[in-house]
């Protein structure tokens, strides 16, 4: 062909290929009348543009390129080379071209590619092609500084369509959904099917990440319209979409897909038919936590954790007999790290949390053994995480640790476990059985941070705990804040009513210690007594511990708590008496009912277990014991008679019982006064002694 497009020579095979003849095929333009040219990517080359035109314009040869030629009726694939021959002036004088009909090979190849790259049902790109397209989209976005949105789409309610209308209807829905998605997106975007009812859309050329929101709303809308299936039936589905955005989330293509999947589950779990974006910030936090967790694990292995011990002042004896074990991370670079910084992380990991808690118990038992061997009779209180406390094998593990300790069976009696109130009340029944089981082994229990959770009277009554620890929140500042003071007072009264000891935490000032003593706390813990210290400093601390003289005086002053105890004991007794007398009114008497009252009463409990030694020593106390026994015997005897005899005997007996009860109350009051007077005297003596010393 010469440069003006005039055909000089054409062999028969070429005529056959283009279905033309020498008379028709005189000029290159006549070729383009019958055939339209498309490139290998199926893009139209435009009217009157053939590869021959291209070479003439660009003056560059083409060798072995594939083109599709399309006429009204058919299409063919040709493989074509066009070489320009230049004249002496350098301009193109001739074009030499060869063509080959490769339709058969190309169709096979395309069919194969479709199988490999496309989903046969919806004809959408499949996972393989999606992966290519995503890599290309990201490379393109990087060059053009644009954004890419990867949208993971999962159809909601598709399974129901399959189950109720059948698989064919399901297929129809998938095909239709695919069509609707393609309609919503632009030509450069990709809609792919991963399989089942999972699709991915890649939105490209975004300038702002928010741009894709409009498309996402359209997608949700179009996908939620009813689907006509199986001739006249209607199927309804919606979509849950998760989106990850490049370059906000600057990760590899595969990870972008995974992040979109995570976001999709967020949509699924928060009501469906919506889209959610992947939260890059929270993902970074998760990664940072993961790193921190592995460092903690390493530190635990290499012995960088240790226990500090904080003494508790026992008010009655004015001495330190108990310590709370508090974990510390002795970081090689950062120094001593407090539990507030590492515990939340530890507790987020099931395995590590268990490892850590059992390490603390093991360590505390080992330390207890060392102190006991040195003749220092201390008790150690260990904090247990709520997670471990709730574990079904918790008790078995504790016993195992005891068995492995230096002194199996002997140390648990000196161990107290502290659990936070919230953990204990979550399942009262189970908590109580763990507590009771522990007690069988000699372990005592404390409710930690009392007052910050659900603190209710019910819990104290139902849990067999020994101690409550009033949280620092109420103790610090209690002197300036009358509300806090009232709360502390109420807690002490409450605990006392249930015969539970009280420890106050966080007393930072001597005045707080004094007030807590006066209010009747059994033990006090706080910086005013001592800060947490390494185990090796404890023996020295105990040996040199001299209580502040003011504490001694305060602990001797009339403690309102024991006054309260007496008041409560008297009230309990009066209440019991009322119940008994009202039962006696009934006739015939049900023996079992009255016996329930005669066997036990709260006053009797107090007599047996009252913790104030001063009362026990007074003669009035012994008199009270006798009076109480008489009264019960009397009621017992009466109960037996009343089941057979008449009611007429009652009036006399009532009077008798009432006088015994009055006598008991009188003796109680007498005891309160005498003990009070002794206390006051001792208190005055101590005060004057201290004034003289000053
Ligand atoms: P907690 O059991 O209530 O321990 C008392 C916390 O109050 C300790 O903080 C202690 O140092 C602090 N404290 C004591 N007296 C004062 C005071 O007068 N003023 C002030 N400002 N603070 C005082 P720490 O050691 O940071 O422990 C915090 C919490 O971490 C503990 O609260 C406990 O719940 C938990 N914890 C500590 N060690 C362990 C452990 O080995 N295992 C578990 N599971 N938890 C632990
Ligand atoms: Mg504690
Ligand atoms: Mg606490």
């Amino acid at each position: 062909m010469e440069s003006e497009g005039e055909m000089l020579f054409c062999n028969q095979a070429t005529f056959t290929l283009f279905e033309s003849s020498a008379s028709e095929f005189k000029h290159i333009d006549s070729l383009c009348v019958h055939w339209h040219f498309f490139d290998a990517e199926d893009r139209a080359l435009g009217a009157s543009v053939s590869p021959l035109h291209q070479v003439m314009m660009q003056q560059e040869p083409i060798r072995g390129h594939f083109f599709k030629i399309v006429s009204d009726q058919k299409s063919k694939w040709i493989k074509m080379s066009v070489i320009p021959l230049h004249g002496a002036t350098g301009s193109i004088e001739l074009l030499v071209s060869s063509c080959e009909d490769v339709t058969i090979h190309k169709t096979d190849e395309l069919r194969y590619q479709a199988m490999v790259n496309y989903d046969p049902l919806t004809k959408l790109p499949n996972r393989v092609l999606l992966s290519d397209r995503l890599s290309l989209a990201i490379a393109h976005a990087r060059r053009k500084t644009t954004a890419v949105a990867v949208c993971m789409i999962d159809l909601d309610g598709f399974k129901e369509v399959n189950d109720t209308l059948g698989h064919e209807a399901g297929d129809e829905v998938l095909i239709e959904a695919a069509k609707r998605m393609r309609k919503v997106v632009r030509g450069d975007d990709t809609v792919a099917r991963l399989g089942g009812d999972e699709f991915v859309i890649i939105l490209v050329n975004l300038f702002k990440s928010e741009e894709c929101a409009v498309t996402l709303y359209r997608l949700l809308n179009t996908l939620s319209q009813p689907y006509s299936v199986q001739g006249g039936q209607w199927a309804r589905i919606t979509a849950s979409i998760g989106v990850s955005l490049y370059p906000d989330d600057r990760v590899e293509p595969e990870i972008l897909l995974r992040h979109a999947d995570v976001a999709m589950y967020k949509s699924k779990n928060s009501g469906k038919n919506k889209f959610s974006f992947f939260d890059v910030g929270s993902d970074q936090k998760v990664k940072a936590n993961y790193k921190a967790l592995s460092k903690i694990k390493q530190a635990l292995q290499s012995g960088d954790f240790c226990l500090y011990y904080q003494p508790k002042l026992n008010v009655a004896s004015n001495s330190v007999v108990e310590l709370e074990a508090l974990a510390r991370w002795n970081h090689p670079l950062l120094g001593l790290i407090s539990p507030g910084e590492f515990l939340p992380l530890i507790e987020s990991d099931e395995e590590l949390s268990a490892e850590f808690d059992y390490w603390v118990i093991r360590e505390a038992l080992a330390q207890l053994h060392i102190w006991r061997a040195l003749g220092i009779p201390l008790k150690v209180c260990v904090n247990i995480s709520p997670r471990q406390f709730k574990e079904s094998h918790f008790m078995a593990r504790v016993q195992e640790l005891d068995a492995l300790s230096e002194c199996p069976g002997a140390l648990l009696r000196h161990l107290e476990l502290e659990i936070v109130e919230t953990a204990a009340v979550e399942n009262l029944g189970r908590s109580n059985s763990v507590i009771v089981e522990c007690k069988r082994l000699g372990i005592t229990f404390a409710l930690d941070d009392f007052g910050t959770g659900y603190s209710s009277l019910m819990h104290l009554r139902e849990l067999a705990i020994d101690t409550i620890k009033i949280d620092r929140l109420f103790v610090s500042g209690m002197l300036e804040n009358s509300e806090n003071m009232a709360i502390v007072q109420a807690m002490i009264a409450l605990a006392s009513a249930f015969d539970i000891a009280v420890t106050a935490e966080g007393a930072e000032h001597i005045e707080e210690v004094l007030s807590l003593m006066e209010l009747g706390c059994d033990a006090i813990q706080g910086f005013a007594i001592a800060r947490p210290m390494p185990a090796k400093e404890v023996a020295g601390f105990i040996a040199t511990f001299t209580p502040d003289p003011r504490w001694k005086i305060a602990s001797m002053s009339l403690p309102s708590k024991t006054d309260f105890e007496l008041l409560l004991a008297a009230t309990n007794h009066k209440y019991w008496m009322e119940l008994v007398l009202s039962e006696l009114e009934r006739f015939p008497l049900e023996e079992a009912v009255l016996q329930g009252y005669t066997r036990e009463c709260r006053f009797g409990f107090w007599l047996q277990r009252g913790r104030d030694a001063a009362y026990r020593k007074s003669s009035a106390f012994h008199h009270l014991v006798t009076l109480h026994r008489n009264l019960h015997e009397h009621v017992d005897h009466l109960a037996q008679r009343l089941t057979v005899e008449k009611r007429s005997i009652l009036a006399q007996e009532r009077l008798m019982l009432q006088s015994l009860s009055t006598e008991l109350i009188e003796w109680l009051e007498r005891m309160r006064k005498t003990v009070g007077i002794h206390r006051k005297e001792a208190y005055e003596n101590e005060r004057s002694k201290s004034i003289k010393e000053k």
Side-chain angles (χ1 to χ4, degrees):
M1 191 178 77
E2 55 96 49
S3 62
E4 294 300 307
E6 204 73 32
M7 200 66 70
L8 298 178
F9 172 74
C10 220
N11 69 359
Q12 188 52 47
T14 308
F15 289 134
T16 314
L17 174 63
F18 288 104
E19 296 176 19
S20 189
S21 62
S23 57
E24 289 166 336
F25 199 180
K26 288 208 166 113
H27 194 273
I28 184 174
D29 288 344
S30 59
L31 191 65
C32 294
V33 172
H34 298 289
W35 298 98
H36 296 288
F37 281 78
F38 291 78
D39 70 8
E41 266 78 51
D42 227 7
R43 284 183 294 239
L45 293 184
S48 19
V49 177
S50 70
L52 298 165
H53 287 94
Q54 276 187 341
V55 172
M56 278 198 292
M57 281 183 304
Q58 289 161 11
Q59 311 224 332
E60 290 289 329
I62 54 173
R63 291 192 173 89
H65 286 200
F66 289 94
F67 296 94
K68 191 165 81 175
I69 52 171
V70 178
S71 74
D72 292 342
Q73 267 113 65
K74 58 182 79 158
S75 70
K76 292 183 184 182
W77 279 96
I78 54 172
K79 190 177 167 190
M80 199 165 184
S81 299
V82 184
I83 314 288
L85 298 177
H86 299 269
T89 56
S91 60
I92 297 176
E93 286 192 350
L94 286 174
L95 290 174
V96 181
S97 156
S98 71
C99 310
E100 187 186 345
D101 186 344
V102 291
T103 308
I104 294 172
H105 306 298
K106 194 69 188 174
T107 313
D108 283 351
E109 187 191 317
L110 286 176
R111 201 175 297 139
Y112 170 74
Q113 270 188 1
M115 266 162 47
V116 174
N117 290 318
Y118 290 86
D119 165 47
L121 181 71
T122 58
K123 310 285 184 271
L124 291 177
N126 61 12
R127 193 182 282 273
V128 179
L129 189 54
L130 170 77
S131 164
D132 277 357
R133 296 262 176 99
L134 186 55
S135 301
L136 285 174
I138 288 174
H140 180 80
R142 227 178 262 149
R143 279 198 310 275
K144 304 274 177 196
T145 50
T146 53
V148 176
V150 179
C151 317
M152 180 71 70
I153 299 167
D154 190 283
L155 303 181
D156 314 314
F158 179 71
K159 188 175 174 299
E160 285 72 18
V161 173
N162 261 347
D163 291 349
T164 55
L165 303 175
H167 283 268
E168 280 176 20
D171 284 353
E172 284 178 48
V173 168
L174 289 175
I175 293 166
E176 173 62 18
K179 268 193 208 147
R180 292 185 193 181
M181 285 188 244
R182 289 188 66 147
K183 260 195 197 156
V184 168
V185 303
R186 289 177 298 193
D188 294 343
D189 300 332
T190 299
V191 180
R193 179 177 175 221
L194 293 188
D197 58 353
E198 274 190 341
F199 296 83
V200 172
I201 295 183
I202 306 171
L203 302 174
V204 293
N205 290 326
L206 302 171
F207 289 95
K208 265 207 240 135
S209 33
E210 305 87 68
E211 255 179 69
C212 63
V214 179
T215 313
L216 295 169
Y217 278 119
R218 279 200 198 123
L219 274 170
L220 288 177
N221 181 40
T222 183
L223 291 172
S224 64
Q225 301 304 319
Y227 294 74
S228 161
V229 287
Q230 294 285 296
Q233 303 205 65
W234 291 97
R236 271 193 172 276
I237 51 160
T238 54
S240 292
I241 309 180
V243 188
S244 57
L245 286 163
Y246 182 91
D248 291 5
D249 190 7
R250 205 176 274 274
V251 289
E252 292 303 305
E254 272 307 303
I255 314 256
L256 265 182
L257 273 171
R258 215 179 309 143
H259 286 176
D261 202 39
V262 171
M264 187 274 289
Y265 275 102
K266 203 163 107 193
S267 297
K268 270 253 183 263
N269 295 332
S270 57
K272 303 175 179 170
N273 194 19
K274 57 168 69 166
F275 59 83
S276 309
F277 286 93
F278 177 71
D279 184 349
V280 181
S282 83
D283 181 59
Q284 279 164 354
K285 249 184 258 158
V286 169
K287 279 187 196 135
N289 282 359
Y290 181 76
K291 265 192 188 163
L293 265 180
S294 58
K295 276 191 191 146
I296 292 176
K297 279 181 194 166
Q298 259 173 20
L300 201 57
Q301 299 294 326
S302 50
D304 287 345
F305 277 95
C306 63
L307 291 181
Y308 269 44
Y309 293 86
Q310 186 177 32
K312 293 184 196 175
L313 178 76
N314 181 297
V315 175
S317 63
N318 218 3
S319 63
V320 169
V321 287
E322 275 179 32
L323 304 149
E324 177 171 11
L326 295 161
R328 297 287 180 268
W329 180 1
N330 210 344
H331 196 282
L333 295 175
L334 304 173
L336 212 58
I337 302 180
S338 289
E341 289 183 53
F342 57 78
L343 266 185
L345 267 172
I346 290 183
E347 282 172 8
S348 70
D349 185 283
E350 194 174 334
E351 204 180 308
L352 183 60
S353 170
E355 195 184 333
F356 184 78
D357 269 15
Y358 296 128
W359 170 81
V360 174
I361 297 177
R362 206 168 50 233
E363 192 72 14
L365 287 177
Q367 191 55 55
L368 255 178
H369 174 69
I370 294 174
W371 284 327
R372 300 232 135 226
L374 289 171
I376 311 171
L378 289 170
K379 180 169 182 164
V380 170
C381 311
V382 166
N383 294 283
I384 298 297
S385 71
R387 197 196 271 266
Q388 268 3 280
F389 179 69
K390 284 184 224 152
E391 277 295 331
S392 56
H393 52 259
F394 173 68
M395 276 315 304
R397 276 296 275 148
V398 172
Q399 280 173 278
E400 209 177 295
L401 291 171
D402 176 52
L404 292 170
S405 74
E406 296 279 343
C407 206
L411 296 170
L412 295 184
R413 270 179 287 127
H414 310 291
L415 185 71
E416 178 155 283
L417 298 182
E418 294 188 5
I419 39 162
V420 286
E421 191 192 353
T422 38
V425 301
E426 218 173 82
N427 183 346
L428 279 174
R430 178 162 150 69
S431 296
N432 214 28
S433 61
V434 175
I435 296 173
V436 169
E437 178 78 353
C438 278
K439 284 189 150 181
R440 212 176 43 75
L441 301 171
I443 304 172
T444 53
F445 252 92
L447 266 199
D448 206 351
D449 302 349
F450 190 75
T452 57
Y454 307 89
S455 42
S456 117
L457 225 113
M458 284 293 288
H459 303 145
L460 286 187
R461 204 178 63 187
E462 286 178 34
L463 289 170
I465 45 154
D466 304 275
T467 305
I468 56 164
K469 297 188 77 182
I470 300 181
D471 194 66
R472 198 166 81 214
L473 193 75
F474 305 102
V475 173
S476 67
M478 116 189 156
L479 297 178
E480 296 91 57
N481 182 334
S482 58
E483 235 171 61
N484 274 9
M485 173 71 97
I487 292 173
V488 172
Q489 223 165 351
M491 284 177 184
I492 295 172
L494 192 67
S496 154
F498 293 107
D499 201 18
I500 293 168
V502 179
T503 299
E505 292 187 302
E508 293 192 357
H509 307 286
I510 192 83
E511 292 75 18
E512 282 164 359
V513 178
L514 295 175
S515 301
L516 289 164
M517 283 176 160
E518 282 184 16
L519 289 174
C521 265
D522 299 277
I524 300 169
Q525 186 180 350
F527 295 171
I529 317 283
R531 285 181 179 260
M533 58 188 80
K536 60 179 189 307
E537 290 177 16
V538 169
F541 173 83
I542 302 283
T544 56
F545 178 68
T546 24
D548 188 303
R550 284 173 293 175
W551 297 346
K552 198 169 173 200
I553 297 166
S555 68
M556 290 171 78
S557 74
L558 283 175
S560 36
K561 181 185 158 200
T562 41
D563 269 358
F564 180 81
E565 266 180 32
L566 282 190
L567 199 71
L568 202 73
T571 315
N572 278 335
H573 170 71
K574 284 179 193 163
Y575 179 59
W576 176 82
M577 210 50 233
E578 262 174 42
L579 282 177
V580 169
L581 290 176
S582 75
E583 276 306 316
L584 290 177
E585 289 292 325
R586 297 188 203 195
F587 188 80
L589 194 74
E590 277 182 45
E591 194 179 2
V593 174
L594 197 56
Q595 273 188 1
Y597 294 125
T598 58
R599 286 222 185 95
E600 48 186 48
C601 70
R602 295 199 73 87
F603 183 80
F605 283 145
W606 176 79
L607 277 180
Q608 280 167 31
R609 297 194 296 180
R611 271 176 285 114
D612 196 310
Y615 291 137
R616 295 191 159 275
K617 280 186 211 144
S618 81
S619 58
F621 188 85
H622 298 288
H623 205 79
L624 275 171
V625 173
T626 319
L627 261 174
H628 178 249
R629 196 174 46 234
N630 279 349
L631 197 56
H632 270 262
E633 278 172 5
H634 216 83
V635 175
D636 254 350
H637 180 62
L638 199 57
Q640 279 166 24
R641 278 174 61 196
L642 274 175
T643 47
V644 284
E645 288 181 31
K646 287 230 172 75
R647 227 177 139 183
S648 51
I649 56 157
L650 239 171
Q652 237 180 342
E653 295 298 337
R654 277 180 75 95
L655 280 176
M656 177 70 182
L657 287 180
Q658 273 164 339
S659 83
L660 272 175
S661 167
T662 316
E663 199 182 340
L664 188 141
I665 298 289
E666 278 169 9
W667 274 100
L668 206 58
E669 181 56 15
R670 212 171 289 171
M671 181 172 79
R672 194 182 76 80
K673 279 190 182 139
T674 41
V675 171
I677 290 164
H678 286 153
R679 275 211 178 104
K680 206 166 180 149
E681 280 170 8
Y683 173 68
E684 293 300 341
N685 281 345
E686 258 329 298
R687 258 180 86 89
S688 51
K689 223 164 72 188
S690 114
I691 291 166
K692 268 186 214 152
E693 278 168 12
K694 270 188 191 164

